[in-house]
Every structure is written in structure tokens, then in C-alpha cells.
Amino acid sequence: MLKPSAIRLLAALPLLAAAPHAMAQEARRLEGLAAPARIVVDHWGIAHIYAASTHDAFFVQGYNAARDRLWQIDLWRKRGLGRLAESFGPGFAEKDRAARLFLYRGGMGREWAAYPAGAQAMTQAFADGVNAYIAQVEAGKAPLPREFTLTGTKPERFTAEDIVRIRSHTLVSNAASEATRARAICKGSLKWENLRRFLSPAHEPVVPKGLDPCAVPEKLMRDYVLATGDVSFDGVKLASAEGNVTLALRNINEQGEGSNNWVVDAAHSQTGRPILANDPHRGHGVPSLRYVVDINAPGLHIAGAGEPALPGLTFGHNEVAAWGITIFYADQEDLYVYKISKDHPGAYFYKGAWTPFEVDRQPLAVKGEGARQIELKFTRHGPVIYEDAEKGLAFAMRTVWSEPGASGYFNAAWMFGATQWNDFEIAHQRWGAPPLNLVYADTHGDIGWRASAFVPRRKGWDGLMPVPGDGRYEWQGMVKPDDLPMIKNPARGWVATANQMNLDKGYDSNKQPIGYEWVDRSRIDRIETLLSAKPKLSLADMEAIQTDVTSPLAARSAALVGNVGGLSGDAARAAALLRGWNGYEGVDSAQAALYEIWIARHLRKALAEAVVSPDLQPFFADASIPGVIDWLAALDPRLGSDPAAVRDKVVGLSLAGAWAEATKLLGPDPKAWRWGDLHRADWAPAAARVAPALEKPQWSVGPLQIAGSGSTPAAATYRGAGFGVMAGASVRMVLDVGAWDNSRIINTPGQSGDPQSPHYRDLFPRWAAGQYVPFLFSEAAVKANAESVIELTP
């Protein structure tokens, strides 16, 4: 029997038909549903789910996720479980093997116990909903997304265990950095490490006793890159139903990652209520990495954004409380180096004895071949990712991914029913991965921030390089959640994070390191300046801050240029253009175009050639620009006996090169240079490469010119040979806490993964222009803005 609240909810829903505009309506029978339910899609493609129970709510959420994003979530699952080769062929066998190394291998009882009561049932309901949609596709009652036809593949069924066992989609660090640092130090970079990679708190890396940095091979991280890399269609032969196509791997870890969030209290808000703002930054894609949804059932009403393959939300709000996320760069990974011997096959040396590897032999299905037998090896610390029998070495990784309760973003479930600060504290205590700055606000007026993560306790080493796996370097459990930094109801009325180093002042990182590799303060400095500029802040102010395109780092760099004299020719012309610039990176800015060319293509190279040996120069190709600017500005004595001369030479040569390249790219007249002519968003999904030539354009999104850069609050990061936007905030959200219908959101390029849908790219122009759409919560507001309704009956 339905609860009275459920009857009232469902009885109210037919009133949607009274909306004064045309509204598409559809009825579907949905096997597995316990009672009638409804999906209302508003004008902006946001799905509002109404159900009579929490089971049905998550069941319909899974169904709706498949309705809008089936190809995306199916690929997420296949990639994470190591099942790509079964669909796409032998070119993915190695990637599948690598992915399986990083699956959660612990007991599922301990895993489910780490999450709120009901989490397993919630996840099973979500998986059942996905499977219900797949069943309709198979029965011809729902369309098969075009990508499956193009690749000659089919969607596979989900299970609850699949969803939480997959770890490799989650952002953790810093294993790749450890490997690179060791190899650089082998070449003599210890003196230069803080220039190559800025560390905070200030710290000089120490080579662990027993480690030979030169023993770290160049290909050490190959399996890790394969396991965590995204899937794109270019480079590995695939037999498709529509001809020969190619697939390749793109390392998602090379994209810019970050985020902004902040909360403002009622006393400093023009609304008289708290405001929460959040814009997580990840790699851009088509469709968006995240999906916005509103879920309404008796005892549950949540709205926000999350990974489309997971139940619930990652960030958003319920009827009382709101929460947001950014990455807190705690060090959650370590590389271990072991001795192995031909005299002791199948074993590694640990604590004075030869210890057998744990070996897991399993079949790996490969399309066109049948099954291969693969072998996965593990030490007590984690998966073996590289072996060199000739040198007698093996390498493994320990990561918090292996811990129960570390499924990516899954602990957001603790917030679904939060109604007070103590509930937020419980979520903080349980949070595993990724490491996050959680911000919070509620209708009672409380606001605050908590750094939340599983952080390994290391004694005797800093976590910045691989360590011997002989038993000397063991984790001593995890840092206590209460020992991580926090702020509640600050006197200044707000708290903000942007991936900066935000450990407590005076925190002793030598005693207990948490992390040293943070993002430069450019974004947070600008955000804090703008939050401090007014005594009371509005929702519009929040939008303006999220879309602000002024870079303090660029302004610092321009000030450096202004201090260099004796320039001539192109270098002098470049300096004249940049001198006095405030760092504003609008699409029409000539200074921004020159500056980004300078720092991306010329400054690092010139400095490396001036101060380090040729063997080291390749390691400075991605040196920290803030570190470079700070060293040059401070005339650091490590630059040589005459630091000022080195600074002038480096700045002069690199500016001249940047001016010449800008002339080549943008023409001879600097008055006509525009940052937006280089910095554009022009995206297409992976499957577009498989499509016939005449079909490819319908998959594309863009191009549009984009303001900002990776160092502005409106983060717009580029990578590689060009200046195309690859990462930033796909979702921007501003919440009016308690008056939820006033909230605003954007999700680029759109909610749907179907290029035939009006919601495939409809939000892209708004996002590029810094605009938002309403983020509705009440039934009345949804009713007034409904575009379509899907009636679901058992």
C-alpha cells in the first residue's frame, strides 16, 4: 500500500498537463517498477523523477540514465571492468588487463558496510533500472543508440557490485608524479625539483633510503595509464559492422583537473539565506561527464549533478542542506620497488624472506578470438604494474582504491538525508575517494568546509618518490578525519576552495605529510578578492565569480616582464604589450593570446636551456609555470651566479619567440590578435570517428571562442599542440539555500547523449557565454516549465 505522502505526490502530478504550453506526453510500461512513476523533462533537458518509494526512485534514475546516456554508461562499465576487448576486439586486451589490476578485490560485505544503510539496495535498484531500459532496447521498445550500431556492439547488463568495484575512474594521486620525479632526479634534477614541480608547504624532496632513482623505468606507468585512460576511436584496429575503424587510448590524467567551490553565510548574502556555489573541473566531453537530475520520493528529495553511471548525486542539495566538491590534493598512492630473483621465481623479497606473489589467472574474452588467459599479479601492497627480470626488479602500487569504502564519489550518499552539520560530519568521517574539499550550507544557517579523504599515514618518508617494498615503508593506517583541516561558520562570512594548499597554518608536514602537490593559488586568490569586494553578495555575483576570466598568475607574469630592461626587437614589442596588463583573458584580448603562447610554448624551454643539462631539459617541458615565474621574479640564487642576467636572457629570448609565433598564428598586426581565435571549444564524442563522413558533422559541438585559461576562476584548460579547450567546468551550480527554485545551473554541452535530441548541445552556447538556466526543485516550478512527460507504470 502506498504511503499517504506518495499518494499526494502522484495525485498532484497530472496537474502538469495544465501547463500553458505544448508538452509531449508518453506512456511506457516498465517491468520491475513497484508503483506508477513519472519522468518530467524541463525546457533545459533536466529530468525530474517522481516515484512512490526510494526503490522506485533509484530504479527510475537508472532507467532514465540509460534513456539519455546508455552508450556513455555502458562504455564506463566496460572500461572500468576490463571488458572492452569483448566488444571491440584484440586492440583492447592490454587495456582490459590493466583495468582489472585496479578493481576493488576486497570483501563486498566490508565494502557495503562502509556506506549508508540501504546503499546496496539503492545501487541494485539503479542497476535494475538500467537493465530494464536495455531490455526494452532488446525488445525493440526503445531505440538502440547509434554508437552501438557504428561499432557493431551491444550494451551489457549492470550489477550493483560492478558499480562500486570500479575504481579507475576516480581521481587520486600521486603515483605518476613519483615515477617522473625519480627519473628526473636520476638525471640530476634534485637541485631543480621545486622549479620543475612546485611543492607546498615548502619542501625539498628526499630520496628514500634504498631507492636507486635510476632503476625507475620510463615505461613504469604504462599499465596505470592504460587502466585510467579514456577511450577514443583512433589507432587500434576494430572490426565494425560498418567497416574498418580504429580505436585508441587517451590519457585522461593529462587533462587539467581542478574545481572551485565556496559558501556564503546568510549575513553576507543579499538573499538573507546562505549561498553555495560549485563548479567542478574535469575533462570536457560529449556528452558531458556529469548529468543533472532531480529525484523526488517520500522521504527523499535530492537534486544536483553526478556521474551518470552512479545512483544519486555527487554534489547538490536536499530540502535542507547543500554540499559541493573540489579536489583536496592529498597523496593517496605510493609506488613500491621489490627485488626479485631468477633463483626464487614467483616471489619478491619482503622483510628478509621471499614472499610469493598472489597470482590471479582469469579468462579475458576477445571479440573474434574467444578467450585469452591472462595473469594478474599482486604483492601485499597492491597490483604489480611492471617487472624487469633482467634487473631483478618488480614494481607495484598501493592506492586507497584498494580500501573498502573508496568507491569514487559513492560516499555522497551520506548527504542525501543530511539535515544538520552533524550529518555533514558523518559524511566527512566516511569519505574515502577522491580526496575532496567538501563545502556545506543548510537552512539553519550553518556553513563550512571539511577536507575529507582516506589519507595514508607515512612515517619516515614524504611520499614524493617510489620506495623499497622490503617492509621499511609501510602505511600506518589512515590520518584521523578529525586531524584534517576544517572551518565552520567563519567570521568573515564565507569559505572558498580551489585546489590550493589549504592545510592549517603551521601544520607540520614533515611529521605527517598529507600532500605537497597542489594547484597554484591563482584561481583562489581571484575568488577571494571578489568575495571580499562586497559586504553582501547576490546569486548574480556568484555567477560572475564562476565565470570570471582574470588571472592573477598572468598579472604576476606581466609584472615580471615589466622588471626586465634592455630588451629589443620582438622581445621589446612583446614586453610593451604585456607591461601593465591586469591578467584579463577575454576572447578579444591580444595580451592573453601573446601571454598564453609565451608560457605554453617558450618560457619553460628557454629557462631549461639556460639552467639545466640537456638530459634534464625534457623533464621541464611541463614545469610548473608559477614556480618558473616565482624563481625568476625572486632572482633565486639557484639560477646561477648572476640571477638577474639569467632572468633577462630567459625572458628576452622566450618573449621574442612568442611574438614570432603569435605573428605566424594571428597575423602581423597585434591590434588584431584575439585570444578567442586560438582558444576554442570544438568537441566531438569518441564515436564520431567511426561515423561515415557525411554523418560526422551532426556529432560535433562547436567551435565557439572561449575566454579564460587554466589559471582563471572560469577554468578553461588546453593541452597538447593547440590551444583547444579540453578541461574546465562542465557543470556550474549556484544554490539559494532554502529558496531552491531560485538556484541556477548549466551543464555543457547538454543533458542528452543523442545527437538527434534537442538537448544534445542546447546548453553549449549558454555555457560558452557564461550563462545559466533555472535549476528547479518544487513541483509547481517544474510543472510550469515542463517540456515532456514520460508516464511509467508497472
Side-chain angles (χ1 to χ4, degrees):
M1 176 178 291
L2 297 182
K3 296 180 180 179
S5 56
I7 295 172
R8 288 195 298 272
L9 172 65
L10 292 174
L13 292 179
L15 295 177
L16 288 165
H21 50 265
M23 181 173 57
Q25 299 193 55
E26 180 183 356
R28 299 183 188 180
R29 293 197 62 183
L30 185 54
E31 191 171 338
L33 197 62
R38 175 173 289 176
I39 301 170
V40 180
V41 179
D42 65 26
H43 295 306
W44 306 281
I46 297 172
H48 303 263
I49 293 168
Y50 298 88
S53 66
T54 55
H55 168 274
D56 280 5
F58 290 114
F59 184 91
V60 175
Q61 186 193 10
Y63 179 85
N64 180 70
R67 182 187 67 86
D68 258 344
R69 303 281 189 94
L70 181 57
W71 166 261
Q72 181 187 32
I73 65 175
D74 181 71
L75 198 63
W76 179 92
R77 176 186 170 278
K78 288 172 178 172
R79 195 203 98 181
L81 293 176
R83 295 181 56 85
L84 291 167
E86 184 170 2
S87 290
F88 300 115
F92 280 90
E94 282 298 303
K95 180 173 176 62
D96 283 349
R97 179 191 171 277
R100 295 184 186 191
L101 286 170
F102 292 99
L103 286 168
Y104 175 69
R105 302 176 69 248
M108 290 308 300
R110 293 180 63 202
E111 175 73 359
W112 290 120
Y115 306 121
Q120 184 175 2
M122 168 188 77
T123 310
Q124 188 61 59
F126 179 89
D128 290 343
V130 173
N131 296 339
Y133 188 85
I134 294 173
Q136 290 187 349
V137 169
E138 293 171 343
K141 297 178 180 179
L144 179 70
R146 173 68 171 152
E147 296 96 329
F148 291 102
T149 305
L150 291 172
T151 57
T153 62
K154 295 180 180 179
E156 296 180 347
R157 297 296 203 276
F158 274 56
T159 71
E161 287 192 6
D162 290 346
I163 292 171
V164 295
R165 288 179 62 230
I166 294 172
R167 304 297 216 230
S168 56
H169 295 279
T170 307
L171 294 175
V172 295
S173 60
N174 67 340
S177 180
E178 289 182 20
T180 301
R181 180 172 289 107
R183 293 181 55 243
I185 287 174
C186 170
K187 301 294 184 181
S189 78
L190 194 56
K191 173 183 176 181
W192 308 104
E193 267 305 293
N194 277 304
L195 173 61
R196 190 190 67 81
R197 185 69 185 265
F198 179 77
L199 300 179
S200 183
H203 179 74
E204 296 292 335
V206 177
V207 178
K209 291 181 180 179
L211 173 70
D212 175 7
C214 296
V216 176
E218 182 178 0
K219 296 182 179 180
L220 171 59
M221 300 305 293
R222 179 179 180 273
D223 277 354
Y224 184 79
V225 169
L226 284 171
T228 58
D230 206 349
V231 181
S232 68
F233 289 74
D234 185 27
V236 178
K237 190 173 183 180
L238 167 72
S240 168
E242 300 194 11
N244 291 327
V245 295
T246 57
L247 291 174
L249 312 176
R250 176 169 53 84
N251 182 13
I252 199 169
N253 296 325
E254 292 182 356
Q255 299 178 2
E257 312 289 1
S259 301
N260 307 319
N261 65 17
W262 59 86
V263 280
V264 177
D265 69 16
H268 293 79
S269 163
Q270 289 185 17
T271 69
R273 296 175 294 274
I275 301 173
L276 184 147
N278 195 190
D279 56 301
H281 309 158
R282 292 286 298 273
H284 283 302
V286 182
S288 171
L289 175 72
R290 293 191 166 102
Y291 188 79
V292 179
V293 68
D294 168 24
I295 304 172
N296 192 342
L300 174 75
H301 193 182
I302 55 176
E307 281 58 26
L310 302 183
L313 315 171
T314 299
F315 55 99
H317 69 91
N318 57 34
E319 293 177 343
V320 175
W323 69 98
I325 66 170
T326 70
I327 292 296
F328 172 76
Y329 275 102
D331 181 354
Q332 295 185 304
E333 297 175 329
D334 279 307
L335 292 171
Y336 285 84
V337 189
Y338 310 87
K339 292 180 181 178
I340 58 176
S341 171
K342 295 178 181 178
D343 295 331
H344 300 275
Y348 61 99
F349 196 70
Y350 179 77
K351 287 191 174 182
W354 292 99
T355 302
F357 289 107
E358 181 183 348
V359 180
D360 182 2
R361 296 178 177 87
Q362 55 184 252
L364 191 153
V366 179
K367 187 175 184 178
E369 289 188 5
R372 296 182 184 181
Q373 291 299 312
I374 62 170
E375 182 178 276
L376 309 177
K377 285 186 179 181
F378 301 86
T379 71
R380 64 181 291 110
H381 299 115
V384 175
I385 60 173
Y386 191 89
E387 289 185 80
D388 188 334
E390 293 302 316
K391 293 184 178 180
L393 295 174
F395 297 80
M397 180 185 296
R398 185 165 189 185
T399 168
V400 299
W401 280 343
S402 302
E403 303 293 322
S407 189
Y409 300 107
F410 206 79
N411 274 301
W414 290 100
M415 290 300 300
F416 297 169
T419 60
Q420 58 183 331
W421 178 270
N422 286 344
D423 297 328
F424 176 59
E425 283 283 347
I426 292 171
H428 156 73
Q429 295 282 337
R430 297 292 190 134
W431 197 275
L436 293 182
N437 294 293
L438 292 172
V439 294
Y440 172 85
D442 64 32
T443 56
H444 310 300
D446 284 327
I447 70 164
W449 153 70
R450 268 291 199 179
S452 305
F454 290 165
V455 182
R457 295 179 64 238
R458 300 175 180 88
K459 291 187 177 181
W461 87 101
D462 56 19
L464 291 172
M465 275 179 274
V467 292
D470 55 13
R472 286 178 287 175
Y473 298 90
E474 298 294 336
W475 291 1
Q476 308 295 315
M478 299 290 168
V479 174
K480 294 179 180 179
D482 287 344
D483 290 342
L484 297 174
M486 62 87 71
I487 293 174
K488 181 181 180 183
N489 296 329
R492 67 179 178 180
W494 52 265
V495 60
T497 81
N499 317 113
Q500 79 277 17
M501 198 288 289
N502 52 3
L503 300 177
D504 292 337
K505 187 176 182 180
Y507 180 82
D508 189 353
S509 289
N510 291 320
K511 182 178 179 181
Q512 174 51 66
I514 288 177
Y516 291 101
E517 297 174 302
W518 310 82
V519 171
D520 173 66
R521 287 192 56 88
S522 185
R523 281 186 288 113
I524 192 62
D525 284 346
R526 179 63 176 167
I527 291 167
E528 291 186 341
T529 295
L530 295 172
L531 288 173
S532 301
K534 294 182 178 181
K536 289 182 180 289
L537 296 151
S538 67
L539 297 174
D541 290 330
M542 304 297 99
E543 294 180 7
I545 296 171
Q546 285 185 335
T547 57
D548 184 85
V549 293
T550 294
S551 165
L553 175 60
R556 278 163 42 205
S557 304
L560 167 68
V561 171
N563 290 330
V564 175
L567 301 175
S568 61
D570 285 351
R573 285 184 277 274
L577 184 61
L578 292 176
R579 192 171 289 118
W581 179 46
N582 68 354
Y584 173 74
E585 297 199 68
V587 293
D588 57 350
S589 172
Q591 291 97 330
L594 176 63
Y595 166 74
E596 295 293 342
I597 292 170
W598 176 48
I599 64 167
R601 305 282 186 85
H602 300 277
L603 181 58
R604 296 181 182 97
K605 183 174 183 292
L607 180 61
E609 290 176 349
V611 301
V612 303
S613 67
D615 283 350
L616 266 179
Q617 289 173 19
F619 291 97
F620 282 77
D622 61 349
S624 164
I625 288 296
V628 169
I629 297 298
D630 289 348
W631 274 48
L632 293 172
L635 300 178
D636 193 289
R638 284 171 287 189
L639 294 173
S641 58
D642 190 350
V646 172
R647 175 199 65 186
D648 294 354
K649 176 183 177 182
V650 167
V651 172
L653 286 174
S654 59
L655 282 178
W659 186 271
E661 184 173 359
T663 299
K664 180 179 179 181
L665 292 173
L666 297 169
D669 181 7
K671 293 180 181 179
W673 294 353
R674 300 177 75 258
W675 176 222
D677 289 341
L678 297 175
H679 194 235
R680 306 188 305 169
D682 190 6
W683 309 324
R689 292 182 178 269
V690 184
L694 293 178
E695 184 181 330
K696 290 181 186 293
Q698 78 175 24
W699 293 90
S700 66
V701 174
L704 285 179
Q705 298 183 346
I706 304 297
S709 70
S711 61
T712 62
T717 303
Y718 56 86
R719 285 287 187 273
F723 293 94
V725 177
M726 292 180 62
S730 58
V731 173
R732 297 183 180 121
M733 180 179 72
V734 175
L735 300 178
D736 186 349
V737 176
W740 303 110
D741 285 339
N742 297 333
S743 301
R744 309 281 288 173
I745 202 164
I746 198 74
N747 184 24
T748 194
Q751 284 280 94
S752 176
D754 179 3
Q756 302 291 338
S757 167
H759 299 300
Y760 180 72
R761 59 174 68 81
D762 58 324
L763 300 182
F764 177 65
R766 292 175 181 264
W767 168 85
Q771 298 174 357
Y772 295 69
V773 301
F775 189 26
L776 307 175
F777 192 62
S778 72
E779 295 172 49
V782 172
K783 176 179 66 175
N785 290 276
E787 178 183 87
S788 64
V789 176
I790 302 174
E791 301 282 2
L792 302 171
T793 56

